[in-house]
Amino acid sequence: MPTQTVLDIVVTWNTRNNTNDSICEYGIDAIDEHIAKSPQGPNKFVDGGAQKATQYIHRVTLAQLQANTTYRYHCGSQLGWSAIYWFRTTFNHSNWSPSLAIYGDMGVVNAASLPALQRETQLGKYDAILHVGDFAYDMCHENGEVGNEFMRQVETIAAYVPYMVCVGNHEEKYNFSHYTNRFSMPGGNDNLFYSFDLGPVHFIGFSTEVYYFTQFGLKPIVMQYDWLERDLIEASKLENRAKRPWIITFGHRPMYCSNNNGDDCAKHETVVRKGLPGLNFFGLEPLFYKYGVDVELWAHEHCYERMWPMYNYTVYNGSLAEPYVNPGAPVHIISGAAGNQEGREPFFKKMPPWSAFHSQDYGYLRLKAHNATHLYFEQVSDDKGGKVIDNFWVIKHTHGPYKDSHKAFHEL
């Protein structure tokens, strides 16, 4: 499974046995032009279940890769080899237009979006994938075998493009150990919060779960919040925002939703949005608004929902005719309908005025970051055979902190 930092690719794979000589062979013209091996060897990972099932996680870095180039690779040792896979590196500058698939809540029993995503990824339609939490339902189940099955299924996508992830509530067991061990995101923060650049976009992945599983302490909340602000300050510097004007965040549990199921996002004082109850410390909505985050991507609710540009339950459309042209607040999108066995989420009978479009169809979101001013989104329905059921442009001629002075079109 390759993940990307600039033009280095980290390839991750698992073995049952401790094969210290496992390597990755790769190249442009020949599969064995180069050889990469982890200097530390594999990491031993023991599942927290009764059987204490053990596997070994191998990570190697394919460094100094050429931009916009196709590489082939395989992994293994004298005990056996994987199939041959390929990936295409991206450009190492901001003046190009990446395409991504975005979804959460897939699972292994009813992975509704998996066939279409497999086909489209292997046809080269995407430069990266964002999986916004809740992977297998659950990776820890059956002494980790459900996690192994999920990784086998998703290999048909993740072996070809960077598979970027954030943690969801279904990864909580054993202090999120399956999530932190199985994936390899940038930054060295146990994959819980990190950022990366792709074309004109600065992406920020983070954990909403630190606000809900407080039995692990408050330190993760403080550490992540401090890191988020530092990252946003850096991304907001004039020279950085000139190169990558778009800032897009992705986290599992939404700040807002219209689902009639009692989840936190359906309540007014959402913890992720407002911060710790009674204190309002470390709320993310004011932070993201302050630094001009453009789009906030979510999952968790097994549905698709697009919202009008919104801050603090107030809609800040760019205009009545063109709501997403120079909006005055971030655009929230929920795409948590890639499958799962728990079923679809119901909506309120009376939808709130800040909800622009909603659907219970299984499916996934596509993003095309065309340039510094135009993003294009479309939601694909698996129930309708790949039909695009919603699409819209977000257009911004300037980027940066939002101005509190402009007029809201709806007071909610």
Side-chain angles (χ1 to χ4, degrees):
M1 163 184 307
T3 56
Q4 180 178 4
T5 306
V6 192
L7 291 180
D8 289 353
I9 292 284
V10 177
V11 180
T12 308
W13 72 99
N14 301 9
T15 58
R16 296 285 189 184
N17 300 313
N18 185 8
T19 55
N20 283 315
D21 57 345
S22 287
I23 60 175
C24 179
E25 296 181 331
Y26 65 103
I28 301 171
D29 299 314
I31 193 72
D32 59 351
E33 282 182 292
H34 308 284
I35 296 175
K37 180 178 180 181
S38 171
Q40 293 84 24
N43 295 324
K44 183 179 180 180
F45 171 49
V46 181
D47 171 65
Q51 293 183 8
K52 303 300 178 188
T54 299
Q55 58 184 290
Y56 295 86
I57 315 292
H58 303 257
R59 292 179 175 87
V60 301
T61 300
L62 315 186
Q64 309 275 320
L65 301 179
Q66 298 179 33
N68 194 31
T69 301
T70 299
Y71 288 83
R72 295 186 301 148
Y73 72 100
H74 66 168
C75 307
S77 70
Q78 74 276 10
L79 299 179
W81 289 87
S82 73
I84 294 176
Y85 299 104
W86 56 265
F87 62 86
R88 188 164 189 84
T89 55
T90 62
F91 296 95
N92 59 356
H93 57 78
S94 60
N95 190 26
W96 65 287
S97 304
S99 296
L100 297 91
I102 302 158
Y103 52 86
D105 302 77
M106 180 179 280
V108 300
V109 174
N110 180 36
S113 296
L114 186 64
L117 290 165
Q118 290 169 328
R119 177 178 179 274
E120 291 173 354
T121 300
Q122 293 177 23
L123 287 173
K125 292 185 178 295
Y126 302 119
D127 299 293
I129 303 290
L130 300 186
H131 192 143
V132 192
D134 282 6
F135 299 94
Y137 293 85
D138 290 353
M139 288 194 286
C140 64
H141 286 174
E142 300 178 21
N143 295 286
E145 282 303 316
V146 172
N148 293 338
E149 175 59 23
F150 172 80
M151 301 305 281
R152 282 190 287 269
Q153 289 185 13
V154 83
E155 180 182 64
T156 53
I157 302 171
Y160 299 96
V161 292
Y163 201 82
M164 314 306 289
V165 297
C166 70
V167 70
N169 57 296
H170 277 274
E171 284 72 67
E172 175 267 338
K173 196 72 171 178
Y174 314 129
N175 196 9
F176 303 98
S177 63
H178 277 267
Y179 173 81
T180 57
N181 280 276
R182 290 181 183 273
F183 297 105
S184 303
M185 298 298 104
N189 297 303
D190 288 332
N191 306 319
L192 293 177
F193 48 90
Y194 65 94
S195 62
F196 66 98
D197 297 323
L198 203 63
V201 183
H202 181 70
F203 287 96
I204 302 174
F206 65 96
S207 169
T208 56
E209 304 316 296
V210 295
Y211 291 89
Y212 296 91
F213 295 103
T214 53
Q215 66 267 35
F216 300 121
L218 299 183
K219 186 177 179 181
I221 299 175
V222 178
M223 287 179 59
Q224 175 174 267
Y225 187 92
D226 289 345
W227 178 88
L228 282 169
E229 182 153 37
R230 291 196 306 272
D231 190 82
L232 286 165
I233 289 171
E234 184 67 21
S236 297
K237 289 180 178 178
L238 290 177
E239 63 272 22
N240 291 330
R241 200 114 198 203
K243 287 193 298 186
R244 291 187 169 86
W246 296 101
I247 298 178
I248 297 178
T249 63
F250 58 103
H252 183 61
R253 299 199 209 200
M255 292 185 189
Y256 301 94
C257 69
S258 303
N259 301 100
N260 191 18
N261 56 11
D263 277 357
D264 191 33
C265 56
K267 303 171 185 175
H268 196 275
E269 301 300 305
T270 309
V271 176
V272 173
R273 187 176 77 86
K274 296 292 287 185
L276 297 176
L279 301 172
N280 288 350
F281 289 163
F282 310 114
L284 295 183
E285 186 175 42
L287 183 70
F288 291 172
Y289 183 85
K290 176 181 178 181
Y291 291 100
V293 169
D294 300 291
V295 178
E296 301 180 29
L297 302 169
W298 313 96
H300 187 59
E301 304 303 319
H302 303 157
C303 66
Y304 168 72
E305 186 170 12
R306 165 172 57 88
M307 301 166 205
W308 302 119
M310 178 169 52
Y311 177 69
N312 195 26
Y313 285 95
T314 303
V315 171
Y316 289 102
N317 288 342
S319 67
L320 287 175
E322 298 180 309
Y324 298 108
V325 178
N326 297 318
V331 177
H332 294 253
I333 308 168
I334 298 172
S335 186
N340 82 82
Q341 69 251 42
E342 293 183 342
R344 308 166 195 260
E345 300 285 10
F347 290 98
F348 291 123
K349 290 183 179 179
K350 183 180 179 181
M351 294 298 289
W354 41 261
S355 180
F357 183 93
H358 64 284
S359 171
Q360 287 186 313
D361 286 9
Y362 288 122
Y364 54 97
L365 183 69
R366 293 178 183 143
L367 162 62
K368 178 77 168 181
H370 279 270
N371 50 42
T373 57
H374 287 65
L375 299 180
Y376 175 73
F377 292 93
E378 59 183 22
Q379 178 73 7
V380 179
S381 169
D382 296 306
D383 293 345
K384 295 180 173 63
K387 179 182 177 182
V388 174
I389 58 172
D390 186 43
N391 64 90
F392 67 105
W393 292 85
V394 179
I395 300 172
K396 296 183 82 168
H397 299 109
T398 60
H399 299 263
Y402 295 104
K403 304 292 189 293
D404 292 323
S405 59
H406 53 245
K407 185 173 183 278
F409 283 95
H410 307 282
E411 290 290 340
L412 307 180

